Amino acid sequence: MSIQARRERERAERERLIVTVARELAEAEGWDAVTTRRLAAEIEYSQPVLYSHFKDKGAIMAAVAVQGCAELAVELRAARTAAVGAREALAAVGEAYAAFGRRRPALYDAVFTHLVDLPFATPQAPPELQEAFGELYSAVQPIAADGDDPGLLTETFWAGLHGLVTLMRSGRLPEAAHDRRLALLIGHFTAGAS
């Protein structure tokens, strides 16, 4: 292995470590606890080393968001492909999305609530973001009625899911009725679908 290849591998390993530790801290203590000083101490590298990989905390959160989208896409795909029928697939994707947000709150926040420097909803969006949206789209498209724009319908479904997850997590909607709310959302989107 060349010296250059070894350095690139070590750099990639340090980046993975920084992102992993940031995620762990955020999940344990929230994003406010994730500072560059704290990360540098946790990974046992100096702050300048950390800054040689990421320009600031926002860049670290963006890297976490990309990872989160990749993981969300895997979970949504598994739910969608395990279901039989368009309505069932949409329901399974909705349930998987909500479960992801509830189970991984800091990761969900990095992807969907905190301001990160990522181009969402553009062709320049990282493939992981496009893949996560693509899984939502793949669940919504089969239930789209003639004349519906499947992309806009997917965005609306996503907005509904995000609203439910966010309001429930913040305590503004009681968790006890979550399954009924999700069923209402699915029912609205699948009215008339087979």
Side-chain angles (χ1 to χ4, degrees), residues 95-107:
E95 290 167 10
Y97 182 96
F100 182 88
R102 291 159 66 189
R103 191 177 68 255
R104 310 295 296 277
L107 187 56

Side-chain angles (χ1 to χ4, degrees), residues 68-156:
C69 281
E71 292 172 24
L72 177 61
V74 168
E75 292 185 27
L76 296 179
R77 184 178 312 107
R80 181 180 57 78
T81 59
V84 178
R87 185 182 198 297
E88 292 78 8
L90 190 68
V93 163
E95 290 167 10
Y97 182 96
F100 182 88
R102 291 159 66 189
R103 191 177 68 255
R104 310 295 296 277
L107 187 56
Y108 185 89
D109 288 345
V111 177
F112 296 117
T113 62
H114 290 296
L115 184 61
V116 292
D117 189 20
L118 290 172
F120 285 85
T122 70
Q124 294 76 32
E128 295 86 350
L129 278 65
Q130 293 181 30
E131 188 178 354
F133 183 80
E135 287 303 321
L136 290 170
Y137 182 91
S138 294
V140 171
Q141 191 273 331
I143 60 99
D146 288 340
D148 282 348
D149 178 330
L152 289 177
L153 194 60
T154 301
E155 290 172 353
T156 303

Side-chain angles (χ1 to χ4, degrees), residues 1-75:
M1 175 182 296
S2 72
I3 293 173
Q4 181 65 24
R6 190 189 77 220
R7 285 184 181 153
E8 288 174 10
R9 188 189 74 227
E10 290 170 352
R11 180 172 178 76
E13 288 171 3
R14 272 193 310 272
E15 280 188 17
R16 279 192 296 276
L17 177 63
I18 293 165
V19 171
T20 298
V21 171
R23 282 180 64 166
E24 290 170 355
L25 277 173
E27 289 294 343
E29 302 176 34
W31 280 106
D32 288 342
V34 180
T35 64
T36 55
R37 176 172 288 160
R38 176 104 183 259
L39 279 175
E42 293 284 333
I43 64 172
E44 298 178 346
Y45 283 101
S46 67
Q47 281 185 286
V49 169
L50 193 136
Y51 285 121
S52 74
H53 291 275
F54 297 99
K55 69 179 181 176
D56 56 19
K57 177 180 169 178
I60 295 167
M61 287 178 70
V64 170
V66 169
Q67 278 188 353
C69 281
E71 292 172 24
L72 177 61
V74 168
E75 292 185 27

